């Protein structure tokens, strides 16, 4: 059986923490899409880690961590991550398997990303500039290089060929990647020490042998290339279906779909965000919630919970269990608002519009805040009634139970229902 855990908003929902909490139930943790644009934070035993490419099961001795073929990997960033973990005493090499079909992010992909964003000017996506878009373009354009290719004797020739092609596209766009290229080639050599596998066979064997697998999504459903607020999206399938194509498993193998959402919303980069707050409340969510990117350090845009968007994500993913994060950030809010509908051209709707530029006025339902510290609560019964009302409203609106509530960044600050 394979369960999927994914973000239902615009990323940064707290996936790292949730996967870390869920891993004891699983023997295999697999990333299925995205790349170093992700930043999954974990906090335990007074230590903090941010993972970009490596699955969040890496801290559990018994777990196997698979990087699936739907992922794009920058070997430099990956090896930095590996070394950081090794310094913390973790035997990364024995715990990680990399799919041969994982696409490689080249130094020139990073340059192409920068060129594309520069050309868009004020319409830029707000990309993390890790080369994600150009790498997925080369994948679907059938030009990409994959991790399995590094084992071939002519890998360098193939690298040179793609590099030359990229340099042609870059023209006179200035981007110095010579030192990065040196590191990149060195990292490619180090990558050979890893178990580079036929991921689809490995994962299906695990399933056949009764191993429990957790597929860990990156980004969020509203950044999905098909269903997100296009073009302000990332370039991969961040939704549940991506677990099938990213790992090579049948939809029939999928069991639970855990959907993670924050009790409010954040978005980093450009694109529509109907409930965004530009006032003191937005400021408060940002400072109390420490809403700064773990990959780029950028300040995240903040706003109220959006049920139109959340219900859409629940629908696309077939979410079976919800996980609510960071409600504690709103501990001293007199009032909490939730968007229950959009008014577009004078008409109220519960559906996300096709146009990314649609003029949306959110319709809000106001809740009384719980106005107390909930960070030390460890039992659902002990939560204040206002908090439970908030939780139960979301359950009624989505039709999905909230099974886990997180009230702080530490592993321990987790309430299972
Ligand atoms: P995790 O896994 C939040 C956003 C970027 C930008 C858009 C496209 O930590 O939740 P890209 O680099 O993919 O070309 O950027 O997507 N974005 C994320 N936002 N969390 C992430 O990952 C993100 N990965 C990409 O800010 O708006
Ligand atoms: Mg992030």
């Amino acid at each position: 059986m394979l369960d999927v855990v994914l973000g239902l908003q615009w990323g940064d929902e707290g996936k790292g923490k949730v996967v870390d909490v869920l891993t004891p139930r699983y023997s295999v943790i697999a990333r299925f899409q995205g790349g170093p644009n992700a930043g999954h934070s974990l906090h335990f035993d007074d230590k903090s880690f941010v993972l970009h490419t490596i699955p969040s099961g890496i801290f559990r001795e018994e777990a196997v961590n698979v990087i699936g073929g739907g992922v794009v990997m920058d070997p430099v960033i990956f090896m930095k991550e590996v070394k950081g973990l090794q310094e913390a005493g973790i035997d990364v090499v024995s715990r990680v398997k990399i799919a041969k079909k994982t696409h490689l992010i080249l130094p020139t992909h990073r340059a192409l990303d920068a060129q594309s964003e520069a050309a868009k000017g004020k319409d830029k996506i707000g990309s993390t500039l890790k080369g994600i878009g150009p790498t997925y373009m080369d994948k679907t354009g059938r030009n990409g290089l994959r991790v399995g290719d590094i084992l071939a004797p002519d890998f360098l020739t193939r690298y040179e060929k793609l590099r030359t092609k990229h340099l042609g596209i870059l023209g006179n766009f200035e981007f110095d990647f010579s030192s990065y290229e040196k590191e990149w080639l060195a990292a490619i050599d180090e990558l050979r020490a890893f178990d580079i596998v036929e991921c689809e066979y490995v994962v299906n064997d695990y399933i056949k042998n009764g191993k429990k697998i957790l597929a860990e999504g990156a980004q969020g459903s509203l950044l999905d290339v098909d269903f997100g607020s296009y073009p302000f999206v990332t370039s991969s399938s961040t939704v549940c279906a991506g677990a099938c194509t990213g790992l090579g498993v049948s939809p029939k193998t999928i069991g639970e779909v855990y959907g993670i959402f924050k009790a409010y919303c954040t978005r980093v980069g450009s694109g529509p965000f109907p409930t965004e707050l530009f006032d003191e409340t937005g400021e408060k969510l940002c400072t109390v919630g420490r809403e700064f990117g773990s990959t780029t350090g950028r300040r995240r845009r903040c706003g109220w919970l959006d049920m139109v968007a959340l219900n859409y994500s629940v629908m696309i993913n077939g979410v079976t269990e919800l996980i609510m994060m960071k409600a504690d950030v709103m501990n001293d809010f007199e009032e909490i608002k939730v968007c229950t509908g959009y008014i577009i051209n004078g008409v109220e709707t519960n559906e996300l519009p096709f146009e990314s530029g649609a003029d949306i006025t959110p319709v809000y339902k106001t809740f009384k805040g719980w106005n107390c510290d909930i960070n030390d609560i460890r039992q659902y019964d002990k939560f204040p009634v206002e908090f439970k009302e908030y939780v139960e409203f979301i359950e009624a609106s989505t039709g999905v139970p909230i099974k886990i509530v997180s009230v702080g960044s530490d592993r321990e600050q987790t309430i299972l229902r």
Side-chain angles (χ1 to χ4, degrees):
M1 215 32 151
L2 181 137
D3 295 339
V4 184
V5 58
L6 34 79
L8 298 179
Q9 294 161 323
W10 288 279
D12 306 325
E13 297 90 353
K15 294 175 289 287
K17 164 168 176 174
V18 171
V19 176
D20 179 54
V21 168
L22 293 175
T23 37
R25 307 182 194 173
Y26 297 90
S27 41
V28 181
I29 315 297
R31 271 280 303 269
F32 58 89
Q33 47 68 232
N37 47 351
H40 296 179
S41 311
L42 295 93
H43 309 274
F44 53 89
D45 304 340
D46 294 323
K47 279 179 280 193
S48 294
F49 293 92
V50 180
L51 299 173
H52 301 287
T53 320
I54 296 178
S56 305
I58 194 70
F59 302 101
R60 308 274 181 181
E61 220 168 296
E62 356 37 274
V64 177
N65 291 268
V66 175
I67 297 174
V71 173
V72 291
M73 172 191 281
D74 182 328
V76 176
I77 298 178
F78 173 74
M79 283 313 302
K80 274 202 186 120
E81 233 175 301
V82 168
K83 282 170 191 162
L85 291 165
Q86 283 171 337
E87 275 161 28
I90 292 154
D91 184 7
V92 190
V93 180
S94 75
R95 291 186 198 173
V96 170
K97 295 188 192 301
I98 308 168
K100 285 190 180 169
K101 292 188 168 70
T102 300
H103 275 254
L104 287 169
I105 302 175
L106 271 56
T108 38
H109 281 133
R110 292 163 62 93
L112 289 166
D113 215 356
Q115 183 188 40
S116 165
E117 283 285 77
K120 286 189 164 128
K122 70 170 180 36
D123 296 323
K124 72 177 172 104
I125 310 286
S127 163
T128 60
L129 301 177
K130 304 290 176 196
I132 306 294
T135 306
Y136 279 112
M137 280 168 70
D138 268 341
K139 173 180 176 170
T140 52
R142 299 160 296 186
N143 293 308
L145 282 174
R146 300 177 292 174
V147 171
D149 294 329
I150 70 172
L151 307 172
D154 65 342
F155 174 72
L156 273 184
T157 318
R158 287 157 75 179
Y159 168 72
E160 293 290 341
K161 197 173 156 204
L162 188 52
R163 179 188 189 273
T164 305
K165 182 174 184 223
H166 289 163
L167 290 177
I169 304 169
L170 285 164
N172 49 20
F173 180 73
E174 282 204 28
F175 193 91
D176 180 19
F177 57 85
S178 53
S179 67
Y180 202 81
E181 186 177 50
K182 246 191 224 137
E183 280 183 71
W184 192 87
L185 291 167
I188 287 284
D189 279 334
E190 292 174 304
L191 212 55
R192 295 198 177 95
F194 282 83
D195 200 6
I196 297 173
V197 300
E198 312 281 356
C199 170
E200 54 278 36
Y201 284 108
V202 168
V203 172
N204 280 287
D205 273 347
Y206 285 145
I207 294 173
K208 239 184 261 163
N209 297 325
K211 290 215 155 95
K212 289 199 77 185
I213 303 172
L214 182 65
E216 173 184 5
Q219 287 80 53
S221 298
L222 303 172
L223 289 172
D224 180 80
V225 67
D226 291 290
F227 299 104
S229 44
Y230 195 87
F232 301 101
V233 294
T234 189
S235 299
S236 66
S237 292
T238 64
V239 297
C240 186
C244 295
T245 53
L247 295 173
V249 297
S250 150
K252 287 188 285 190
T253 60
I254 293 179
E256 300 296 340
V257 180
Y258 303 105
I260 312 178
F261 69 101
K262 266 196 279 219
Y264 50 95
C265 285
T266 64
R267 177 166 199 163
V268 57
S270 325
F273 183 178
T275 61
E276 182 169 11
L277 293 167
F278 300 95
D279 57 4
E280 279 168 24
T281 310
E283 191 62 43
K284 197 163 151 187
L285 285 170
C286 181
T287 41
V288 180
R290 293 187 304 274
E291 295 294 354
F292 295 89
S294 44
T295 297
T296 56
R298 288 179 293 173
R299 189 181 192 286
R300 297 177 185 145
R301 301 154 65 193
C302 296
W304 298 120
L305 183 64
D306 182 341
M307 292 311 298
V308 179
L310 190 64
N311 280 319
Y312 180 78
S313 295
V314 167
M315 172 180 80
I316 297 287
N317 293 301
V319 173
T320 61
E321 295 191 9
L322 285 168
I323 300 174
M324 185 167 87
M325 312 299 290
K326 293 186 95 164
D328 54 291
V329 170
M330 300 192 289
N331 277 350
D332 65 344
F333 280 36
E334 287 301 323
E335 279 187 342
I336 293 169
K337 290 187 183 181
V338 175
C339 168
T340 55
Y342 294 164
I343 295 172
I344 303 172
N345 297 326
V347 182
E348 188 168 340
T349 173
N350 294 313
E351 295 187 4
L352 287 184
F354 166 80
E355 299 82 9
S356 65
D359 185 9
I360 298 173
T361 308
V363 179
Y364 287 113
K365 179 175 163 64
T366 305
F367 290 79
K368 193 170 170 290
W370 41 91
N371 257 293
C372 64
D373 202 329
I374 57 168
N375 305 56
D376 295 325
I377 297 178
R378 296 290 177 270
Q379 265 175 299
Y380 187 73
D381 305 343
K382 304 262 158 67
F383 279 116
V385 57
E386 294 85 357
F387 179 83
K388 287 186 197 158
E389 266 168 32
Y390 194 70
V391 167
E392 282 150 33
F393 170 79
I394 297 165
E395 292 186 317
S397 173
T398 55
V400 181
I402 299 183
K403 290 283 196 169
I404 300 178
V405 174
S406 164
V407 292
S409 57
D410 199 88
R411 255 183 202 170
E412 304 304 317
Q413 292 171 303
T414 313
I415 296 93
L416 309 179
R417 288 177 76 200

